[in-house]
Amino acid sequence: NEQKPRQAAGDRTGNTASVVDYLRAQIRERDCWRSVKDLPDWERLDVSIRFQLDSKGRLSRPAEVVRPRFIPSGDKFMIVAADRAIRAINLCEPFEMPEEEYELWRNQDIVLTFDEQF
């Protein structure tokens, strides 16, 4: 089910998904993400990170944890998972993004989920 690029304004959720896939691939290829599978109970350590990128693939808004919304101070493994996810984004910056397609992610919150499928 391949989507063709749109020429007019509208709901860009399909395009945002392709941006997320593109970023995930770069993080994997550049080996920026250190998995949490070495931590106890790693299956529960899914973390979603929100950020924005400029036309050059640099962070225009710092990466921040959006899920879980609250990490208890005593949950050291979830803290490590969140730190690793943010570090992965920071290490891979700048992302190689096609400037001619900047409208796909311009001023858009990009949310990446770091989980066992990452």
Side-chain angles (χ1 to χ4, degrees):
N1 188 9
E2 209 169 57
Q3 236 184 345
K4 295 192 181 207
R6 296 189 185 155
Q7 299 300 317
D11 180 19
R12 298 186 299 210
T13 55
N15 293 333
T16 303
S18 63
V19 168
V20 165
D21 291 340
Y22 192 72
L23 294 170
R24 279 175 158 295
Q26 285 186 56
I27 290 170
R28 270 196 223 87
E29 287 166 14
R30 295 191 205 165
D31 206 22
C32 297
W33 164 239
R34 182 175 167 206
S35 172
V36 295
K37 290 185 179 180
D38 62 326
L39 300 174
D41 202 16
W42 61 267
E43 296 92 346
R44 72 170 185 86
L45 300 178
D46 296 355
V47 177
S48 295
I49 305 297
R50 176 176 54 204
F51 58 99
Q52 290 185 357
L53 296 175
D54 66 15
S55 64
K56 305 284 190 207
R58 294 193 173 281
L59 290 171
S60 59
R61 175 174 163 181
E64 64 179 340
V65 176
V66 292
R67 187 177 63 86
R69 287 187 179 191
F70 175 74
I71 301 174
S73 59
D75 192 347
K76 61 184 175 187
F77 299 121
M78 185 58 80
I79 292 168
V80 169
D83 287 347
R84 286 183 185 180
I86 288 175
R87 187 176 308 121
I89 292 165
N90 291 333
L91 281 173
C92 273
E93 180 195 19
F95 291 92
E96 294 175 18
M97 304 294 285
E99 280 189 64
E100 67 276 4
E101 296 182 22
Y102 181 46
E103 285 302 313
L104 295 180
W105 70 88
R106 182 180 183 194
N107 299 322
Q108 298 290 317
D109 282 344
I110 299 167
V111 177
L112 283 182
T113 298
F114 292 80
D115 56 20
E116 59 190 275
Q117 274 81 44
F118 201 99

